[in-house]
Amino acid sequence: MVSDTKKYITNVELLKHNKPEDLWISIQGKVYNVTDWAKIHPGGDVPLLNLAGQDVTDAFIAYHPGTAWKYLDKLFTGYYLQDFKVTEVSKDYRKLYTEFSKLGLFEKKAHVAANSLTTVALMLMVVVYGVVKCESVWAHFGSAALLGLLWILAAYMGHDSGHYNVMVNRSFNKMAQFLCGNCITGISIAWWKWTHNAHHISCNSLDYDPDLQHIPMFAVSSRLFDSITSVFYSRKLDFDRFARFMISYQHFTFYPVMCVGRVNLFIQTFLLLFSKRRVPDRALNILGIMVFWTWFPLLVSYLPNWPERFMFVLVSFCVTALQHVQFCLNHFAADTYVGAPHGNDWFEKQTAGTIDILCSPWMDWLFGGLQFQLEHHLFPRMPRTQLRKISPVVIDLCKKHNLPYRSLTWWEANVWTIRTLRTAAFQARDLANSPKNLLWEAVNTHG
């Protein structure tokens, strides 16, 4: 009889290695030291830090192609997880992933990249012609609306290329990222990767997911009134008097703020690129942003007067707000929690924190596949053209394990979101949440 010579550690012992200078994870029961790897990890260090000291098998499978497994051997510590167990949900999820892989669904990208780049290029030419060659104010406003739509489509292209290779190789894929992100939309792909990867891993965690940390403008849960610390931003989310005032009326200000939400994205891009934080391809990101801030102001300058210039920018931002609203609809009214994500309930957290948007197939181009939000979160490397096909299978899996699968119409999703904001707004008005303020009490006497 051959004795087991493997070395084992427990979950409790693994959890002790959860610091940047001592970072271990487990994948399928094998323990890996990713302390140094985190510094050069293509997805950034945040996903690894958020799941540090845990088994991360489901997340690893979701975000990595089969070629990534070969890199693990050199990181193996020699230890195995002693009390390693796989839940029934995870078993079914991994089985489903394997079936999709065998069907080649992760490789069937159709011609989305070519069609998107061609469409964006043609739209940009029409916008330039409308501004430079046309004198009609309506032509200018139409060009502004078209520019807003162009930004939406370019953002989807940047999103796709950030999750998987949409081009023939990684070099062309990176080129597509910088072109669609930095150069055309003015939003850094480095900033997007930094925040978006954290969002996926810690979906709807109030202190880990940056996509829910909008104090002082918005709060989707009263738990944010405790001025919790953002692990992502490493700072306190202060619920002060100003935040309380703004959040108390957030169900009214939501859509107006979305109309100028792009300004915040520009600001966040500059804050990251000129921060002390390590930013991959910082120079290239800055160069791309410079391209945007050259062509966009130059285009606006061709308009005949300042009122038209102001309205051009406003109209383009308002159209793009459709996309900002959609991102909020996918998560604001879903379940939230406080604390770090856990590798052993990763699937369950994705189902709890997402909301799908119902739409006809002919409208898929406008939603960029993100109307299938849960499907995208479960299979982020899945090309958008395949998400509608796998949706019925995901629904069946959720039913089997009694997990939520929420799919709402655009109108219903808006109603749910405003209701969530309204509930938190009324809770913010409760004087018990902050020191008494006579002016506040006088203004809100009648609700």
Side-chain angles (χ1 to χ4, degrees):
M1 184 175 179
V2 180
S3 61
D4 189 355
T5 58
K6 292 181 178 179
K7 297 185 296 182
Y8 291 92
I9 64 171
T10 65
N11 276 308
V12 174
E13 291 172 320
L14 176 61
L15 191 57
K16 295 177 182 178
H17 302 274
N18 64 349
K19 302 175 182 63
E21 65 276 10
D22 181 22
L23 181 51
W24 289 15
I25 58 173
S26 166
I27 299 175
Q28 290 192 336
K30 296 180 70 174
V31 179
Y32 301 93
N33 184 344
V34 294
T35 306
D36 295 328
W37 175 248
K39 301 171 185 177
I40 57 174
H41 181 227
D45 60 348
V46 173
L48 292 171
L49 291 170
N50 285 357
L51 292 173
Q54 303 181 57
D55 182 82
V56 301
T57 305
D58 287 344
F60 181 85
I61 289 173
Y63 296 107
H64 299 83
T67 55
W69 290 89
K70 64 183 179 183
Y71 295 101
L72 292 177
D73 290 340
K74 61 182 180 181
L75 305 176
F76 184 45
T77 61
Y79 289 102
Y80 293 83
L81 204 55
Q82 187 176 50
D83 37 6
F84 174 65
K85 295 179 181 179
V86 183
T87 66
E88 292 302 315
V89 177
S90 289
K91 288 179 182 178
D92 284 345
Y93 169 67
R94 296 173 194 181
K95 180 181 178 182
L96 197 58
Y97 180 91
T98 302
E99 291 176 358
F100 289 161
S101 295
K102 290 180 179 179
L103 292 172
L105 297 185
F106 293 99
E107 306 303 324
K108 295 180 180 179
K109 305 166 188 176
H111 300 288
V112 173
N115 292 340
S116 296
L117 290 173
T118 302
T119 301
V120 168
L122 290 174
M123 292 172 69
L124 185 57
M125 286 190 289
V126 173
V127 169
V128 172
Y129 181 86
V131 172
V132 176
K133 293 296 184 180
C134 297
E135 297 181 358
S136 169
V137 64
W138 295 111
H140 295 163
F141 288 168
S143 296
L146 190 62
L147 179 59
L149 188 59
L150 180 159
W151 281 336
I152 290 176
L153 299 184
Y156 288 142
M157 180 63 183
H159 176 268
D160 289 349
S161 62
H163 276 296
Y164 56 90
N165 280 341
V166 299
M167 309 297 281
V168 293
N169 57 51
R170 293 189 65 178
S171 297
F172 281 109
N173 196 68
K174 178 179 283 191
M175 187 184 300
Q177 291 176 359
F178 284 102
L179 179 64
C180 292
N182 298 52
C183 299
I184 294 180
T185 69
I187 299 169
S188 167
I189 192 68
W191 172 84
W192 177 86
K193 285 184 177 181
W194 179 48
T195 59
H196 197 67
N197 289 339
H199 159 68
H200 267 269
I201 289 294
S202 53
C203 180
N204 274 34
S205 167
L206 295 175
D207 48 343
Y208 279 77
D209 184 354
D211 283 9
L212 291 188
Q213 297 173 1
H214 301 298
I215 297 287
M217 301 307 298
F218 302 122
V220 298
S221 170
S222 60
R223 283 175 288 187
L224 288 166
F225 302 165
D226 295 328
S227 296
I228 65 176
T229 297
S230 166
V231 176
F232 181 79
Y233 290 113
S234 299
R235 63 178 174 81
K236 194 175 182 181
L237 302 175
D238 288 317
F239 183 67
D240 53 21
R241 284 192 175 95
F242 176 72
R244 181 170 176 241
F245 177 81
M246 296 304 299
I247 291 168
S248 294
Y249 299 98
Q250 62 181 356
H251 49 307
F252 295 119
T253 62
F254 175 68
Y255 295 112
V257 169
M258 289 296 104
C259 288
V260 293
R262 198 163 194 81
V263 175
N264 178 56
L265 301 185
F266 293 151
I267 294 173
Q268 295 301 320
T269 285
F270 278 100
L271 289 177
L272 175 64
L273 294 185
F274 294 97
S275 69
K276 295 181 180 179
R277 181 180 176 81
R278 186 182 67 86
V279 179
D281 300 311
R282 186 192 300 267
L284 192 57
N285 271 271
I286 293 175
L287 178 62
I289 296 303
M290 289 174 62
V291 170
F292 173 81
W293 287 108
T294 298
W295 75 259
F296 181 53
L298 182 62
L299 178 69
V300 174
S301 70
Y302 272 89
L303 294 167
N305 53 64
W306 281 107
E308 276 197 41
R309 292 167 186 164
F310 173 80
M311 289 304 300
F312 180 90
V313 173
L314 182 61
V315 169
S316 64
F317 281 16
C318 287
V319 172
T320 314
L322 289 171
Q323 189 175 64
H324 304 326
V325 169
Q326 180 196 340
F327 295 158
C328 296
L329 301 186
N330 288 139
H331 295 285
F332 272 24
D335 301 338
T336 61
Y337 66 100
V338 174
H342 297 288
N344 58 2
D345 66 350
W346 182 84
F347 185 97
E348 292 90 328
K349 282 294 194 297
Q350 307 304 317
T351 62
T354 56
I355 296 175
D356 282 16
I357 308 296
L358 289 169
C359 78
S360 300
W362 67 272
M363 285 292 290
D364 285 353
W365 66 274
L366 183 59
F367 288 91
L370 298 184
Q371 72 273 35
F372 297 106
Q373 189 68 195
L374 175 56
E375 290 80 359
H376 170 62
H377 267 253
L378 293 177
F379 305 98
R381 293 181 49 255
M382 181 79 69
R384 69 169 92 162
T385 53
Q386 306 300 328
L387 296 178
R388 184 176 290 275
K389 298 176 184 177
I390 70 169
S391 180
V393 184
V394 173
I395 293 174
D396 289 341
L397 184 57
C398 289
K399 286 181 179 179
K400 177 180 178 180
H401 295 284
N402 196 29
L403 294 171
Y405 182 95
R406 287 166 290 222
S407 186
L408 308 175
T409 65
W410 175 266
W411 173 258
E412 290 171 336
N414 276 272
V415 170
W416 278 40
T417 298
I418 295 301
R419 184 188 301 139
T420 298
L421 294 174
R422 183 174 181 270
T423 299
F426 285 172
Q427 291 171 335
R429 296 183 187 186
D430 185 353
L431 292 178
N433 288 321
S434 68
K436 290 188 176 181
N437 183 301
L438 295 179
L439 176 60
W440 174 271
E441 192 170 354
V443 171
N444 291 281
T445 299
H446 301 291

